[in-house]
Amino acid sequence: DAGITQSPRHKVTETGTPVTLRCHQTENHRYMYWYRQDPGHGLRLIHYSYGVKDTDKGEVSDGYSVSRSKTEDFLLTLESATSSQTSVYFCAISESVGPNQPQHFGDGTRLSIL
Amino acid sequence: AQSVAQPEDQVNVAEGNPLTVKCTYSVSGNPYLFWYVQYPNRGLQFLLKYITGDNLVKGSYGFEAEFNKSQTSFHLKKPSALVSDSALYFCAVEAWGNNRLAFGKGNQVVVIP
C-alpha cells in the first residue's frame, strides 16, 4: 500500500465548529487530492495540490479550504462545519498527472457533524 | 465536462459464475478510463486502466475490462467470481489533459457462496 496516513480516522463534532483533517504521505509525490464520498454520488473532488503552496479547487470546494506547506502534508479545513459536510473524506496522491500515474488513496476519515 | 454512469446499484452473482460490472462514460475527446475497488473501511484500490491500444485491458486479481468506443462503455469483467470479490467498484474517467478524475456512484458486488 502507498504510504498515506489520514488523521483522524473518525471524528464527531458540532455544527459551526472548525475541523481540520490531515493527510500525510511518505512517497514524496507531487500531487495530492481531497475527495468526499457520499452514497449515490461516488467520489467528488474538493481540492487538489500540484506542489507546495500550489492548490486549486475541485467540483465541490465551497465551505472547504486547504493548505500545503510541505510536500508530505495536505490539510483540509472546514471553517464552520455544517451537517451537509457529514461524509467520508479521502486523500489521494499521485507522482505526476496523466493516466500512467494512477491515484492512490488513503483509508479515509469518517466525519459526522451533529 | 466528463461523467460516468454505473447503472446498477448492486450486482449479485454466484461464486464461480462470470461477473460483469457496467460503466458508460461521457467525455470530450479521448478518454482515459479506470476501475477501482473499495473494501469496507478502506480507501480505493486501483484495478486497471485504459489509455490507448487494445480494447481489452487486463488488471489485478484476474479482472479485465473492455473498452467500446462506439458504445462509450468500459465494462469490468471477471470470468469466475470469488466470494472475496465482494466489494464496491468504481469506474472513473479522465479527459485527456485535464488531470481530473470523474467517478461513477459505484456498484456493490455481492458474490454468493
Side-chain angles (χ1 to χ4, degrees), chain B residues 52-68:
Chain B
T52 187
D54 290 341
N55 290 339
L56 186 63
V57 178
K58 294 188 182 297
S60 306
Y61 313 120
F63 284 94
E64 58 189 27
E66 186 170 11
F67 171 66
N68 187 316

Side-chain angles (χ1 to χ4, degrees), chain A residues 3 12 20 23 36 86 103 114:
Chain A
V12 180
T20 295
C23 177
R36 60 178 289 174
T86 291
Q103 295 178 24
L114 307 178

Side-chain angles (χ1 to χ4, degrees), chain B residues 47-101:
Chain B
L47 275 180
L48 51 79
K49 65 185 178 187
Y50 170 83
I51 303 173
T52 187
D54 290 341
N55 290 339
L56 186 63
V57 178
K58 294 188 182 297
S60 306
Y61 313 120
F63 284 94
E64 58 189 27
E66 186 170 11
F67 171 66
N68 187 316
K69 187 173 183 178
S70 63
Q71 296 185 4
T72 62
S73 67
F74 189 55
H75 301 330
L76 181 69
K77 300 179 181 182
K78 187 171 183 180
S80 177
L82 302 172
V83 172
S84 57
D85 293 329
S86 298
L88 190 57
Y89 290 80
F90 290 94
C91 182
V93 66
E94 177 184 337
W96 185 87
N98 81 357
N99 304 324
R100 297 190 182 191
L101 285 177

Side-chain angles (χ1 to χ4, degrees), chain B residues 32-52:
Chain B
Y32 300 136
L33 295 156
F34 303 81
W35 276 101
Y36 285 83
V37 61
Q38 184 182 32
Y39 298 99
N41 300 313
R42 299 299 303 275
L44 276 67
Q45 297 179 27
F46 170 74
L47 275 180
L48 51 79
K49 65 185 178 187
Y50 170 83
I51 303 173
T52 187

Side-chain angles (χ1 to χ4, degrees), chain A residues 50-66:
Chain A
Y50 46 96
V52 173
K53 298 186 179 180
D54 292 323
T55 65
D56 204 352
K57 296 179 179 180
E59 63 178 300
V60 290
S61 59
D62 287 348
Y64 302 95
S65 62
V66 290

